[in-house]
Amino acid sequence: LTGQVNDTGGIAVEDVRIEAQSSSGAQGASLDFTTNDSLTIQNSNSLDLTNEITIEMWVKPTNHLSNFTLVKKKDAYSLKHIGSNYVFEVFDLGGTSHSVSIPNSNVTLSEFNQLSAVLYNDTLRIYVNGISTNFTIFSGTAISNNNNDLVIASSYKGKIDEFRFWNIGKKQKTISQDFSRLLSGSDS
């Protein structure tokens, strides 16, 4: 669905959202993972970050019974399910782990949930469906870089759609506005 909305009068109101549904019935396709599947992206300089990161994705987990990884660059950053929590972890240059977590109850099983994991300024934060659910202070100086590959969906059973990886930390207002926005491919 593409197009443009023009307002020919009235008063602009901040945070108004216009949604349109496709009448053709055409739908996108998400990646469907079993516990034995994963996607590996070879290491690249674009995966080595310095001070900020935003990871966004729509997830539809089938269970919370086991540990799994949604995304991970070993010893740099990850978004995982451990025990009864989703955990966003970032390693600083000294190798110290910093993390923030949210309980399983924030992520609905067998339904799509939009997760965003952000390091912005000195704060690690997790969002669910555009709403900040928890945060903690990142006391490190920078994100650890290494030659490890990026792995998506290790030991995960469910669907992942619209995976987005940014070398910036998005502000809370931007996450709230953008969590369901479709990208054109030239977004920054």
Side-chain angles (χ1 to χ4, degrees), residues 86-149:
Y86 284 82
V87 180
F88 175 42
E89 180 179 40
V90 176
F91 288 85
D92 65 25
L93 290 176
T96 302
S97 167
H98 306 265
S99 64
V100 61
S101 64
I102 60 170
N104 287 345
S105 59
N106 288 358
V107 178
T108 306
L109 291 176
S110 301
E111 290 184 19
F112 273 106
N113 304 262
Q114 201 275 349
L115 295 180
S116 298
V118 179
L119 170 57
Y120 176 68
N121 289 334
D122 64 348
T123 305
L124 290 170
R125 192 177 297 266
I126 298 178
Y127 298 83
V128 178
N129 298 326
I131 299 169
S132 176
T133 52
N134 199 8
F135 70 93
T136 192
I137 300 302
F138 177 75
S139 57
T141 55
I143 300 171
S144 175
N145 291 313
N146 57 48
N147 293 323
N148 293 322
D149 295 336

Side-chain angles (χ1 to χ4, degrees), residues 52-56 114 116-121 123 125 127 164-181 183 187-188:
E52 297 182 343
I53 183 174
T54 300
I55 300 169
E56 301 172 304
Q114 201 275 349
S116 298
V118 179
L119 170 57
Y120 176 68
N121 289 334
T123 305
R125 192 177 297 266
Y127 298 83
R164 303 170 183 184
F165 182 84
W166 304 86
N167 63 355
I168 60 169
K170 288 188 174 183
K171 297 178 183 177
Q172 188 167 355
K173 184 173 182 177
T174 305
I175 292 286
S176 297
Q177 291 173 335
D178 287 355
F179 88 92
S180 63
R181 179 174 64 97
L183 300 179
D187 307 87
S188 57

Side-chain angles (χ1 to χ4, degrees), residues 48-61:
D48 290 334
L49 308 172
T50 54
N51 298 314
E52 297 182 343
I53 183 174
T54 300
I55 300 169
E56 301 172 304
M57 67 184 79
W58 286 88
V59 297
K60 186 178 182 182

Side-chain angles (χ1 to χ4, degrees), residues 6-23:
N6 292 314
D7 182 17
T8 58
I11 299 171
V13 179
E14 187 175 333
D15 297 329
V16 168
R17 193 163 138 181
I18 298 172
E19 294 186 26
Q21 300 294 324
S22 171
S23 59

